[in-house]
Amino acid sequence: MKNERIWISITVVILVIAGTVWIAGMPVPAAVPAAETFHVPGAEFLSGNISSQEEEALLRDYQDYRRRLKKVTDRSDMEENGFRIEKDQIFLLETKCFGRVELIPAIEEQYHRLVFFFADEDGTVAGYTDQVEANVTRIGALQQSVRGISAVAFQDLNGDGLIDIIFIARCVSQEGAYAGTEYRIGDILFQNETGFYRDYRISDKINRFGMNKSVDSIIAFVRDGQSTEFLYTAATKEELTDNGFVIAAEQCYPRQFEKLGRLYVVPGSYTMASYATFMIYLVNDEGAIVWSFQPMGDYDNLYALKGIACRDIDGDGMKDILVLARYSTVGDDNIPVIESDYSIYYQRTGGFYADTKVKESVLCSDEDTVAELVEKARAYWGWGSAQ
């Protein structure tokens, strides 16, 4: 009987959070695929990979979260129920269903979840939604990584005459290889006559293909139809150039790679909303892409390509690839910061693999050249220039 009650409660949890829109007393629009929009807390229950004690703890946590969320009926209720208001991101907004309201983003401080409240001029909460991409980055977990909001903008993106909400959340992972590193999650709340909803397919592409660098990038994708997706899915060089990829001709040349044969090294970039995404492709004589690299990492924009070297770096007799470039990223107070950085890719039997050791010891300055970095990297592996 106890397990039966738990499973009934779990089912209720899943059904409660499976909608793309939250508006008190109003239905989810039929056009939005509600059940597929995001991963729900409690998904581990269905796989059987969680103990009964963990089941009960997660269920209690979720019920506590929902209870406090439902208690927020006025702006004055937010902080006392554990929701920290993002005060510099509050905006007036004209909506179809609520009329003129304040959009109030808030972070639930215990579980680091993002909630958007809509409050009228008296402070009464007319509606809210926590169905956003930033709340599902940790699949099957109530605890998320949201720390704040870096940007909010308003435009009609789908041409229906209603203003939509574009925003970028700041997140910091607490565990894993990137623990402590801040990252961005871009998203959109589309407006219709009954409220706001998220299209999970659009949200996924915005973040999976790096179009979350700025509000302008998101607008260029959703409203204007531009996309960086082809950079990661193209099969041929022709497909790249047909979609606007600009090849850096001075660094494009053929090389004989021991395991993959003769290939052209094809570096270049695609610019979208003033952000240039830098990629390197290895292309065979027939124009097919054999391998690709994304050396930019967490940088926002390619500022200048300084050079590429194809040379055996780790001493195994096979040519590796070292690329040096200058990149820009948005620093404090939205001021661009420009710095030099390099990447190394080692040739192996199955292809190329990114370096994870040399960069920990061999730092890069703005004065370094490609040749100097190659020698420093070879020295790390015990190979001098004479070798």
Side-chain angles (χ1 to χ4, degrees), residues 62-223:
Y62 178 75
Q63 289 172 336
D64 169 67
Y65 166 72
R66 298 305 299 187
R67 176 183 57 79
R68 289 186 287 109
L69 188 53
K70 289 179 181 179
K71 287 177 67 176
V72 179
T73 59
D74 188 87
R75 179 172 178 161
S76 61
D77 299 329
M78 294 177 190
E79 293 188 349
E80 66 182 57
N81 283 285
F83 295 89
R84 172 174 53 83
I85 298 173
E86 291 287 283
K87 296 179 181 178
D88 59 344
Q89 299 292 351
I90 297 174
F91 298 93
L92 286 173
L93 179 64
E94 193 69 40
T95 66
K96 186 75 172 179
C97 62
F98 303 128
R100 187 174 178 83
V101 292
E102 277 191 323
L103 173 70
I104 306 176
I107 311 299
E108 196 284 325
E109 296 191 284
Q110 183 172 352
Y111 303 113
H112 300 288
R113 298 176 68 86
L114 173 62
V115 182
F116 285 96
F117 294 96
F118 301 91
D120 63 24
E121 59 183 10
D122 297 323
T124 301
V125 173
Y128 64 77
T129 180
D130 64 347
Q131 305 310 318
V132 297
E133 186 77 6
N135 287 347
V136 295
T137 56
R138 297 185 68 239
I139 298 174
L142 183 62
Q143 184 81 33
Q144 295 297 321
S145 304
V146 184
R147 292 298 181 272
I149 298 287
S150 63
V152 178
F154 306 93
Q155 278 206 24
D156 177 11
L157 296 179
N158 54 6
D160 63 356
L162 301 175
I163 296 298
D164 307 309
I165 303 170
I166 309 109
F167 61 96
I168 299 174
R170 293 186 297 105
C171 302
V172 178
S173 296
Q174 295 179 311
E175 55 191 25
Y178 298 98
T181 301
E182 184 171 297
Y183 61 96
R184 286 167 288 191
I185 297 292
D187 209 354
I188 301 166
L189 290 174
F190 293 98
Q191 184 180 176
N192 62 14
E193 293 187 352
T194 61
F196 291 85
Y197 66 92
R198 178 177 72 96
D199 188 320
Y200 77 98
R201 298 158 297 189
I202 292 175
S203 300
D204 174 66
K205 288 193 174 186
I206 287 171
N207 295 288
R208 185 149 52 99
F209 299 113
M211 295 181 285
N212 55 10
K213 294 179 172 65
S214 69
V215 165
D216 288 341
S217 296
I218 296 173
I219 292 172
F221 169 55
V222 180
R223 187 194 65 188

Side-chain angles (χ1 to χ4, degrees), residues 301-330:
N301 179 61
L302 173 68
Y303 186 78
L305 173 59
K306 299 181 74 172
I308 300 173
C310 296
R311 186 176 172 187
D312 180 14
I313 290 174
D314 58 354
D316 63 356
M318 295 188 291
K319 292 184 186 69
D320 307 307
I321 296 175
L322 184 147
V323 53
L324 173 64
R326 300 192 76 199
Y327 304 104
S328 65
T329 190
V330 177

Side-chain angles (χ1 to χ4, degrees), residues 306 309 311 313 322 324 342 344 358 362-380 383 385:
K306 299 181 74 172
R311 186 176 172 187
I313 290 174
L322 184 147
L324 173 64
Y342 73 99
I344 300 173
V358 174
V362 179
L363 302 181
C364 176
S365 71
D366 287 339
E367 289 72 36
D368 280 324
T369 65
V370 172
E372 290 169 341
L373 285 170
V374 167
E375 295 308 320
K376 290 179 182 179
R378 283 174 57 82
Y380 173 91
W383 300 92
S385 58

